Amino acid sequence: MPYYWAMRDILGRLLVFATFAGSLTAAPLAVHLHATLPSPQPVGISIGLTPRVDNAAGLHSYRYSVSVNGGPFRVVRDFSQDKEFVWSPELYEHDAAVHLIARNNKTKELAEDEMRFRIVPRATAKGPVVTPTAHPLVALFSAPPCPQGSQFRVVFQTAGQQAMARTPDQPCGGTISSNVYVAGMRAATEYRLRSEVVAGGTTKSGNWLPFQTGILDGDFSPVSIAVPRAGGKPATEPVLIFSAASVAAGRRPFAVDLEGRTIWYMRSADFLTRVIPGGRFLALAEGQNSVNAMRRMQVLRETDLAGNVIRETNIGRVAEQLEQRGIHSDCRKGGKECVPGFHHEAIRLPNGHTLAIAGLERILPAGTQGSKEPVDVLGDIVVDLDEEFQVTGVWNTFEHCDLKRASLYDAKCKEGRGSGGCPAIFLAAEANGWTHSNSLNYIASSGDFLISMPEQNWVLKIDWKNGKGSGKILWRLGKDGDFTAKSDDPSPWFSFQHDAGFEPAGSNILTILDDGHVRYEHDKKAHNRGQSWRLDEEKLTATPVLNADLGVYAIAVGSAQTLKNGGYSFEAGFINPGSPYGRTVETDADGKVVFAVDVEGIVVYRSYRVSDMYSAPVK
């Protein structure tokens, strides 16, 4: 009997412990949002947000949304394993609410918390104020309210100089202050700034306020003038923005004036894809996604001049949304399909949507593209994201391109972080780099888009119709495509091309950077070419307008742009791989090189000539 009662006591204790432990594991997920600063805070402040999570066993992800003055909540960062977020409120006084959702990825259990915050004006009835930002070359100018119907802007100039620059006009708020980031200033330089209020053709200027820019906070690549501009010929678009593809030693995208002096840089080492109007930038970045441990090119974000994140998503979150569209991402050995990362391109559409390119891996049967066994093929998708970076549509190379036409260069992508411009791959040790798409161009008149596929030496026009089209390929431009080249040149067509698009917008003129791999294979003295083509889409003819020899050979990357003076700017961004440098080449309308700038020690993916830090190229 003592043994029986002893065992019964032990079993009873175990049952109580198991019940207690079970109640612990069953405890609901809970989250509590905390801020690094108390409310209220002045316009232009950045606020760190940190959640404390209770009962958070397993993998969790976090989504931040913001409401302004009682309006709808809008996502500023979609579900990500990165739980902390630096929030930069809108640049005017308002009442905000920040909503946080924590999610258990396995059980899909959600927990929520909300925080209210008041943003108050910096400027008072006494007048405007100038405030340094976290960016040493960017100032925040704040002025008291100006009458509705008027326009507000800021003038700035170096002390003792006559030349002045202006921020873009913005509507006056009537009862709320006017605030603007002032950018385009050189480091460690004294400036003066003043407001201008424009109404009915009359401009009212404020008093000058002093501002001293800070020093550069990192290592920047040397910039030199390779071909000086002829005297007496002023430049259009006097700002040059470089998208640095190599981020070694912490180097970042940056901007210079045409004398090579740094006037802005991106605070993070992101992969800049496009400059968009209003001092905004689209970039791809390393960072956490919502589903796995990969970090390379996982994040798509929009930032402002001061480096603040406006909105952000990640490839894991995009892949989750693609499930309902028939793409089942399972990024692991043994998986059959995977959306591994963004790459090369994101563009902003007139309706506020964003088109972005991402990779799509599939394991396909033996015989595919000449393989003797099952093979991993890396194609591409184009995702259409709305103003909150939520998926509204997708275009898929596997559905519309000829899988039998393998990469013309027999490209291979390696397992892990990726190589040679490939996104990371997961399903096998090696994948066929089938398309390697590298640029998009939106056609507003039809809602279609162009996509450049350098592994195919083609530019394709896609029947998109703003997401309502068939997705079919309307035509293929390039050798063995649908167009006839009306040219006496023995090698008129581009190869391994970059940055294809129509400009001016709405025209039938397409500009492109011809890297020229096919020509270089036959002639090691061949150079990159800057090209412009006139397309007749009815007759399917392509006539060269420009075929400029850039005088250098870059093995990859590049961009093409038409300038306001009728000339062109081209980027040959990866010259001399052993000690790389990029060259931005300006030509006149006839293709003669009239100006060139070298950037040492990095790969320049693209360059952009703009009027100021608030302007954007056509494409």
Side-chain angles (χ1 to χ4, degrees):
M1 291 295 295
Y3 175 82
Y4 167 80
W5 288 111
M7 289 301 298
R8 181 176 177 179
D9 181 65
I10 291 171
L11 290 173
R13 290 173 182 270
L14 289 173
L15 180 61
V16 169
F17 177 79
T19 302
F20 177 71
S23 68
L24 286 178
T25 59
L29 179 69
V31 65
H32 311 278
L33 183 59
H34 299 271
T36 55
L37 296 171
S39 178
Q41 290 293 327
V43 169
I45 203 73
S46 292
I47 301 162
L49 302 174
T50 302
R52 187 184 74 242
V53 188
D54 299 332
N55 310 315
L59 180 64
H60 287 72
S61 54
Y62 306 85
R63 170 193 264 189
Y64 287 90
S65 303
V66 175
S67 166
V68 175
N69 290 331
F73 281 92
R74 298 194 175 277
V75 177
V76 291
R77 176 191 276 162
D78 212 344
F79 284 108
S80 167
Q81 295 175 69
D82 189 354
K83 62 183 181 180
E84 296 181 343
F85 181 64
V86 178
W87 170 47
S88 298
E90 299 287 345
L91 284 183
Y92 54 86
E93 54 268 30
H94 62 277
D95 290 313
V98 180
H99 187 73
L100 171 66
I101 302 176
R103 183 187 70 181
N104 183 308
N105 273 20
K106 183 176 181 180
T107 67
K108 307 305 180 186
E109 182 184 11
L110 303 178
E112 305 177 51
D113 196 14
E114 192 170 298
M115 173 181 291
R116 299 192 176 276
F117 227 95
R118 172 162 290 181
I119 304 300
V120 296
R122 286 186 182 272
T124 67
K126 295 181 180 179
V129 294
V130 181
T131 307
T133 70
H135 195 304
L137 306 188
V138 178
L140 174 64
F141 191 101
S142 302
C146 52
Q148 282 190 327
S150 304
Q151 299 289 317
F152 174 84
R153 64 193 182 203
V154 175
V155 179
F156 58 103
Q157 64 180 177
T158 54
Q161 298 294 317
Q162 294 297 315
M164 293 189 294
R166 287 177 169 83
T167 66
D169 290 358
Q170 64 182 45
C172 290
T175 59
I176 60 174
S177 61
S178 296
N179 303 271
V180 63
Y181 287 123
V182 179
M185 299 182 286
R186 301 194 303 272
T189 303
E190 291 184 10
Y191 281 83
R192 59 179 192 167
L193 299 76
R194 73 181 183 195
S195 62
E196 288 186 345
V197 176
V198 182
T202 301
T203 301
K204 182 179 180 181
S205 300
N207 296 324
W208 289 109
L209 298 176
F211 181 74
Q212 171 82 36
T213 54
I215 61 173
L216 300 179
D217 66 349
D219 181 21
F220 290 86
S221 298
V223 176
S224 60
I225 308 302
V227 178
R229 188 182 305 279
K233 293 187 176 181
T236 59
E237 293 99 340
V239 172
L240 183 53
I241 301 175
F242 298 107
S243 172
S246 171
V247 294
R251 293 173 180 171
R252 295 154 284 180
F254 66 105
V256 300
D257 60 22
L258 296 188
E259 295 180 47
R261 300 174 296 190
T262 301
I263 59 172
W264 177 84
Y265 59 91
M266 189 170 279
R267 285 172 55 203
S268 55
D270 294 348
F271 186 89
L272 173 62
T273 67
R274 294 292 169 181
V275 177
I276 55 180
R280 299 288 180 89
F281 308 89
L282 291 175
L284 310 178
E286 291 206 355
Q288 291 187 308
N289 62 39
S290 65
V291 293
N292 60 43
M294 180 56 66
R295 297 184 64 88
R296 184 178 187 270
M297 292 296 185
Q298 299 295 291
V299 172
L300 167 64
R301 62 170 59 115
E302 179 181 343
T303 60
D304 64 19
L305 287 162
N308 303 311
V309 174
I310 307 301
R311 58 184 60 84
E312 179 181 293
T313 190
N314 61 80
I315 200 65
R317 178 58 185 145
V318 167
E320 291 180 83
Q321 296 172 71
L322 291 174
E323 288 284 338
Q324 62 185 356
R325 298 177 183 271
I327 295 175
H328 307 290
S329 185
D330 184 14
C331 295
R332 61 179 179 83
K333 289 286 182 64
K336 299 300 181 184
E337 185 173 60
C338 168
V339 181
F342 295 109
H343 66 90
H344 283 93
E345 182 69 291
I347 64 172
R348 177 56 45 81
L349 305 187
N351 66 355
H353 284 213
T354 300
L355 290 184
I357 296 176
L360 179 61
E361 283 184 88
R362 280 186 177 172
I363 298 295
L364 297 172
T368 302
Q369 297 186 351
S371 68
K372 295 181 180 180
E373 54 189 24
V375 61
D376 187 357
V377 176
L378 179 64
D380 293 313
I381 56 175
V382 177
V383 289
D384 188 338
L385 306 171
D386 68 14
E387 296 94 327
E388 297 181 70
F389 281 172
Q390 303 300 295
V391 175
T392 65
V394 61
W395 182 81
N396 186 345
T397 54
F398 287 97
E399 293 179 356
H400 299 288
C401 294
D402 183 3
L403 192 58
K404 295 178 182 178
R405 183 179 161 105
S407 160
L408 300 180
Y409 301 97
D410 193 29
K412 304 296 181 185
C413 300
K414 304 299 182 182
E415 180 181 14
R417 290 179 56 84
S419 59
C422 300
I425 66 169
F426 289 83
L427 306 183
E430 182 179 86
N432 287 357
W434 176 31
T435 52
H436 196 101
S437 301
N438 63 11
S439 74
L440 298 168
N441 180 240
Y442 177 72
I443 305 168
S445 60
S446 64
D448 300 327
F449 65 81
L450 303 183
I451 182 168
S452 168
M453 293 185 178
E455 292 295 340
Q456 301 291 315
N457 288 344
W458 278 345
V459 176
L460 312 180
K461 182 179 181 180
I462 306 303
D463 179 28
W464 183 242
K465 302 296 184 293
N466 294 317
K468 298 179 180 179
S470 66
K472 292 182 179 179
I473 297 168
L474 297 175
W475 49 249
R476 294 156 294 188
L477 179 69
K479 188 176 185 300
D480 300 323
D482 300 309
F483 284 76
T484 299
K486 299 181 68 174
S487 171
D488 296 330
D489 189 321
S491 301
W493 290 117
F494 44 79
S495 56
F496 213 80
Q497 71 287 344
H498 283 75
D499 199 22
F502 289 114
E503 51 177 346
S507 74
N508 66 340
I509 304 297
L510 180 140
T511 56
I512 197 166
L513 191 285
D514 170 28
D515 286 66
H517 284 8
V518 171
R519 289 181 295 107
Y520 191 77
E521 287 175 2
H522 296 92
D523 178 8
K524 298 306 180 185
K525 295 181 180 180
H527 295 147
N528 302 138
R529 298 186 301 192
Q531 293 189 325
S532 179
W533 294 84
R534 179 180 292 108
L535 304 186
D536 187 326
E537 297 187 54
E538 291 185 2
K539 297 180 180 179
L540 293 177
T541 59
T543 305
V545 177
L546 179 82
N547 195 25
D549 187 324
L550 301 186
V552 291
Y553 180 69
I555 65 169
V557 306
S559 56
Q561 180 186 347
T562 302
L563 300 178
K564 293 177 182 177
N565 63 5
Y568 301 86
S569 182
F570 298 101
E571 182 62 48
F574 195 178
I575 306 165
N576 189 28
S579 182
Y581 70 98
R583 175 168 292 182
T584 307
V585 179
E586 180 184 343
T587 76
D588 63 16
D590 297 322
K592 178 184 176 182
V593 175
V594 297
F595 181 68
V597 176
D598 285 354
V599 182
E600 300 291 340
I602 62 172
V603 177
V604 179
Y605 176 53
R606 290 174 178 154
S607 61
Y608 308 91
R609 284 279 295 274
V610 290
S611 298
D612 50 46
M613 291 305 304
Y614 308 90
S615 303
V618 170
K619 64 170 180 156

